[in-house]
Amino acid sequence: MLYAVKTRFFSAFIGCLLLVLFANSQSRNALEDVYHGFVNPPDNTRIMMRWWWFGPAVEKPELERELRVMKDADIGGVEIQPVYPLELNDPQTGFHNTPYLSNEFLDDIRFASSTAKSLGLRVDITLGSGWPYGGPHTPVTQAAGMLRIVGAAVASGEHSLAIPAMENGERLIAAFLAPREGLQFTEGDIQRVTDFKNGRAVLSESINAPRSVLFFIASRTGQQVKRPAVGAEGFVLDHFDRSAIEHHLQLVGDRLMQGFGDNPPYAVFSDSLEVFGSDWTGDFLSEFQKRRGYDLILYLPALIADMGPKTAAIRHDWGKTLTELVDERYLLPIRQWAHAHHTLFRSQTYGEPPVEMSANNLVDLPEGEHGPEWRGFSAARWASSACHLYSRPVTSTETWTWLHAPSFRATPLDMKAEADLHFIEGINQLIGHGWPYSPPSAGEPGWRFYASAAFNDHNPWFQVMPDIARYLQRISYLMRQGRSANDIAIYLPTDDAWAQFTAARVDNRGNYRPTEVSIDRSMDRLLGPALIPQILDAGFNFDFIDDGAIAKVGIPYKILIVPGAERMPLTTLERIQQYARQGGIVVATRRLPSLAPGLEEQAESARVQQMAQAVFTHFVRDEQTLGATLTQLLTPDFAVQSQNAAVGFIHRKLNDGDIYFIVNTSNQPVNTQAAIRVSGMAGQWWDPFTGEAKPVRGSTGANCTKVFLNLVPYESEI
């Protein structure tokens, strides 16, 4: 079954073609239900808006007016996010910023929630103010943790040196005598310092050459909550400390729920993890010993310097432990709390601390964000891949975050063009970024958030918002029908990401500065620039997959690509071997896995090498030839004769038919022919602006249906 829709929106530059194929009269009847839903999609597929409450300084009449305007514009709901004030309190005018979590603030929440419910709008709320979680209730002992390293020079003949000054919440973990120059040494080059007297580290032997002492200190990042409301300022909490998140849930979460009363929000929200430099917590050493089976304290220098063959395995074990702790102590408690309060947990589960892709299985509503390039790694596809693997029907994204600046520069065409990129990455719920609350006293163009677009009724083109919102709603609905039909899974080398983490690097002044420890932000580098374009240009679409997903759900794809992975758990390799024996196609690029990941697993490396030689029968050394290899192994799903880099697509499989959404992502026309991997089916175009259906004119061969694509810039087709 092939359906296609073509229309024009405002100008010839915004069109859409919906291609739907169906097999027979029985399937045609089943598709009538899909078509009726397409013409009149349900309210839960409407776009939402992040609703910024500045200050917060909101008034009930304006809250009600803005909600009614959203309703009339076919916007389906809001995510309330209290943020920084834009005006100072003024007794003369009566303007004031209501303190966060005050009774007055909760009364505004109660009013907005009940008003939205009466209008049939969904309400979510950020579980805090600004981001990441934290605030004045977070003491320094529960603030984001960091491993601080201080290097101090020791001259020849010195027998002791002063211990670095300790700040609030800090404690000395260990100290090591090490070579003065360089960040490369063997285990024999370092000596642990254990004698501390009167604020000094006492050396056990006389120094006859210049050396240095490395002090490892359990510290705090000192990071403050970003863009907080009045009364919400304070430390970012320690995401590895369960007591810190439980304290936050008690003092902030429970208090917010009082505002909602008997009308809980649809979901509570956690923004992208941006706890910069956070890589330690109070009981890390004991947790590491329990989980990894050895004492990390002896190997702490490996987190900042090359100690030889063990270095990468030690760093791997450190990173893996961080990931396990944030899963167990941050994500799981919030989800449990949310369910106890009759709401859901929506989360942008990427960033720092280093969460893995499969952590999306620990939240109810995974959310992504569009990256700088849809033909590379993106948080949007990170989230949608997890949803496909773990059978989550809805994947949302924070949309239009940096869609042109200043705020009112973005046009409806800009909105559609970016949203289409989200759709071809597997997204089917848009959270617009965003809607700035603006009081009448602010005049025109009103208040606006510092980042990018403003999509409220202060925008001069807002009168056409219902048209663009209806288009986006129809596409969102269709992208929830059936199941994802992506052919290829790209294995994420999570173990390699952990192995390349470092706790600090030396700056040009000789000071140790914290580094980023993030799995997803490592992926562009680890996957390389050629892999994803080769897959897309060959006519395939893909998901990401990681070890956690392979262990839990297997490999439900026709092809698995392992791109240049050096480390791989033996258990994962065994599951890949089973997948290959059952007919799955396995392709490795650049190199074969050769190492078991952690220090205690090193004995398994020989077995990893042996199995990899047997399992990966298809090996592509040069990824620039990967596309040609893939088309030899499998017929492309949607292959275009030319202008490959401009055309993106996504395929949804119904029981008796297929839906394709096709996008010209470029600012140039596309005129080419597409071969679609379906045959023997009737077809229609569905117009997502008018709801009209028209027959498809194309040629059907033995293995494919061929259609012509004549797409103006940014035109889309389904």
Side-chain angles (χ1 to χ4, degrees):
M1 150 179 110
L2 179 63
Y3 292 86
V5 178
K6 198 167 189 176
T7 190
R8 292 293 183 267
F9 173 58
F10 306 132
S11 73
F13 295 100
I14 306 181
C16 182
L17 172 69
L18 173 59
L19 183 60
V20 186
L21 295 154
F22 53 92
N24 50 47
S25 60
Q26 184 176 5
S27 64
R28 185 191 297 266
N29 293 333
L31 280 168
E32 287 180 359
D33 293 337
V34 177
Y35 178 72
H36 290 315
F38 165 75
V39 174
N40 295 294
D43 289 347
N44 65 4
T45 59
R46 290 177 176 173
I47 65 171
M48 293 178 59
M49 284 290 172
R50 179 171 292 178
W51 195 13
W52 292 297
W53 288 13
F54 298 100
V58 297
E59 298 175 350
K60 292 181 177 62
E62 179 62 21
L63 291 175
E64 180 176 357
R65 190 197 72 81
E66 293 190 8
L67 287 169
R68 291 188 180 278
V69 170
M70 289 187 228
K71 174 71 172 181
D72 292 341
D74 277 341
I75 293 168
V78 294
E79 169 206 305
I80 300 173
Q81 189 176 100
V83 290
Y84 56 91
L86 288 178
E87 291 188 27
L88 298 176
N89 292 350
D90 188 344
Q92 292 185 350
T93 64
F95 180 89
H96 74 287
N97 293 287
T98 304
Y100 182 65
L101 297 182
S102 65
N103 289 337
E104 185 179 355
F105 170 77
L106 295 184
D107 188 52
D108 291 331
I109 291 288
R110 187 177 300 108
F111 176 82
S113 175
S114 61
T115 302
K117 183 177 181 180
S118 70
L119 295 172
L121 299 177
R122 167 179 161 182
V123 175
D124 292 1
I125 191 166
T126 302
L127 201 57
S129 173
W131 70 97
Y133 291 170
H137 56 281
T138 302
V140 68
T141 53
Q142 292 183 343
M146 177 183 72
L147 187 62
R148 183 162 75 96
I149 297 97
V150 177
V154 184
S156 297
E158 287 190 302
H159 299 280
S160 68
L161 74 165
I163 298 172
M166 298 289 158
E167 300 176 0
N168 290 336
E170 290 190 326
R171 65 180 176 86
L172 180 64
I173 301 172
F176 296 86
L177 187 65
R180 170 74 68 86
E181 301 295 335
L183 290 174
Q184 184 171 355
F185 43 75
T186 66
E187 289 184 59
D189 292 330
I190 62 172
Q191 177 184 343
R192 187 176 176 188
V193 178
T194 59
D195 190 4
F196 303 98
K197 295 177 181 178
N198 301 320
R200 298 185 69 82
V202 180
L203 307 179
S204 61
E205 59 185 45
S206 179
I207 303 301
N208 53 19
R211 303 290 297 274
S212 64
V213 173
L214 300 174
F215 294 95
F216 290 82
I217 300 164
S219 183
R220 307 287 167 175
T221 69
Q223 182 180 349
Q224 302 287 299
V225 173
K226 298 169 69 174
R227 277 80 184 188
V230 171
E233 307 89 345
F235 287 122
V236 169
L237 61 80
D238 183 351
H239 287 55
F240 305 117
D241 183 350
R242 181 158 187 154
S243 66
I245 189 59
E246 289 178 343
H247 186 60
H248 181 84
L249 293 172
Q250 179 184 5
L251 295 184
V252 177
D254 289 353
R255 181 70 172 155
L256 283 174
M257 293 305 104
Q258 291 176 19
F260 284 93
D262 296 331
N263 182 31
Y266 183 86
V268 293
F269 175 60
S270 172
D271 214 328
S272 55
L273 295 172
E274 299 176 19
V275 193
F276 303 123
S278 181
D279 57 17
W280 199 260
T281 194
D283 64 345
F284 188 85
L285 287 173
S286 60
E287 285 295 323
F288 185 96
Q289 175 99 44
K290 180 173 65 177
R291 296 162 188 266
R292 306 281 83 87
Y294 63 96
D295 189 355
L296 177 62
I297 201 166
L298 303 175
Y299 298 107
L300 285 172
L303 303 184
I304 61 168
D306 184 354
M307 287 181 64
K310 296 181 180 179
T311 300
I314 294 166
R315 293 177 180 179
H316 166 277
D317 291 345
W318 169 60
K320 183 175 182 179
T321 304
L322 291 172
T323 296
E324 290 174 352
L325 290 176
V326 74
D327 286 355
E328 297 168 15
R329 296 179 172 184
Y330 181 74
L331 296 173
L332 280 174
I334 298 176
R335 186 181 185 185
Q336 292 166 355
W337 177 91
H339 291 182
H341 288 78
H342 311 291
T343 184
L344 300 174
F345 180 30
R346 178 165 63 88
S347 174
Q348 295 182 356
T349 312
Y350 48 88
E352 192 176 4
V355 284
E356 79 275 43
M357 190 194 77
S358 278
N360 283 285
N361 190 40
L362 304 178
V363 306
D364 300 304
L365 301 169
E367 181 163 301
E369 189 173 352
H370 181 66
E373 173 56 65
W374 69 277
R375 290 166 60 83
F377 180 87
S378 79
R381 199 181 292 269
W382 167 277
S384 69
S385 299
C387 287
H388 295 159
L389 286 159
Y390 291 108
S391 300
R392 300 284 200 275
V394 177
T395 312
S396 59
T397 48
E398 177 186 308
T399 317
W400 310 305
T401 306
W402 295 103
L403 183 60
H404 297 316
S407 293
F408 294 98
R409 184 182 169 197
T411 68
L413 172 57
D414 295 321
M415 291 179 68
K416 177 195 179 293
E418 181 179 312
D420 286 346
L421 300 182
H422 289 254
F423 291 137
I424 60 176
E425 290 182 284
I427 301 305
N428 52 27
Q429 172 68 66
L430 304 181
I431 313 291
H433 187 289
W435 185 289
Y437 169 94
S438 187
S441 61
E444 297 295 343
W447 286 353
R448 53 203 179 274
F449 195 62
Y450 80 95
S452 196
F455 298 115
N456 59 12
D457 55 342
H458 292 265
N459 205 306
W461 54 255
F462 186 78
Q463 61 183 330
V464 300
M465 178 63 86
D467 299 278
I468 187 66
R470 193 66 165 175
Y471 164 81
L472 298 171
Q473 182 184 5
R474 283 180 169 149
I475 305 304
S476 296
Y477 165 78
L478 283 173
M479 294 301 98
R480 299 184 192 183
Q481 305 312 300
R483 62 188 183 278
S484 171
N486 292 342
D487 290 312
I488 292 175
I490 296 177
Y491 175 79
L492 295 177
T494 303
D495 292 283
D496 285 343
W498 284 324
Q500 295 178 16
F501 286 174
T502 58
R505 288 192 174 91
V506 179
D507 65 16
N508 55 11
R509 295 185 178 182
N511 298 314
Y512 288 87
R513 300 297 184 190
T515 58
E516 182 179 74
V517 287
S518 170
I519 295 171
D520 59 284
R521 291 173 187 162
S522 301
M523 285 303 151
D524 255 337
R525 172 176 47 80
L526 290 171
L527 297 181
L531 176 74
I532 291 175
Q534 282 288 309
I535 294 170
L536 296 174
D537 291 349
F540 299 98
N541 210 334
F542 67 93
D543 284 332
F544 299 121
I545 196 169
D546 64 4
D547 301 281
I550 291 174
K552 192 170 183 66
V553 302
I555 308 172
Y557 299 88
K558 296 175 182 177
I559 296 178
L560 173 69
I561 298 177
V562 177
E566 183 178 21
R567 290 164 181 79
M568 181 176 286
L570 186 58
T571 54
T572 296
L573 196 49
E574 289 169 347
R575 292 184 177 99
I576 293 175
Q577 184 180 57
Q578 182 181 9
Y579 163 77
R581 287 172 176 169
Q582 294 172 347
I585 302 171
V586 181
V587 179
T589 68
R590 284 180 270 155
R591 62 182 172 191
L592 298 180
S594 60
L595 296 174
L599 188 61
E600 294 294 289
E601 295 87 39
Q602 290 304 290
E604 298 175 350
S605 292
R607 178 63 176 151
V608 168
Q609 295 174 25
Q610 181 184 20
M611 286 189 65
Q613 292 288 339
V615 169
F616 294 101
T617 54
H618 302 286
F619 177 60
V620 178
R621 186 174 301 278
D622 181 2
E623 283 179 350
Q624 296 292 345
T625 66
L626 176 62
T629 299
L630 294 175
T631 57
Q632 293 173 2
L633 297 172
L634 183 67
T635 301
D637 190 11
F638 189 89
V640 293
Q641 287 184 344
S642 61
Q643 297 170 284
N644 308 63
V647 179
F649 81 97
I650 193 163
H651 175 193
R652 300 289 298 181
K653 181 67 178 176
L654 308 177
N655 289 337
D656 294 300
D658 299 83
I659 297 176
Y660 286 83
F661 181 59
I662 308 142
V663 179
N664 176 6
T665 67
S666 75
N667 61 0
Q668 299 296 317
V670 167
N671 297 287
T672 188
Q673 187 180 67
I676 305 169
R677 195 181 57 204
V678 290
S679 60
M681 295 184 178
Q684 290 182 336
W685 302 115
W686 287 355
D687 188 324
F689 288 106
T690 68
E692 296 178 357
K694 297 180 180 179
V696 168
R697 294 180 180 178
S699 60
T700 301
N703 299 312
C704 70
T705 298
K706 294 183 178 180
V707 296
F708 287 97
L709 302 179
N710 298 297
L711 307 176
V712 297
Y714 304 116
E715 186 174 1
S716 53
E717 309 181 349
I718 304 182

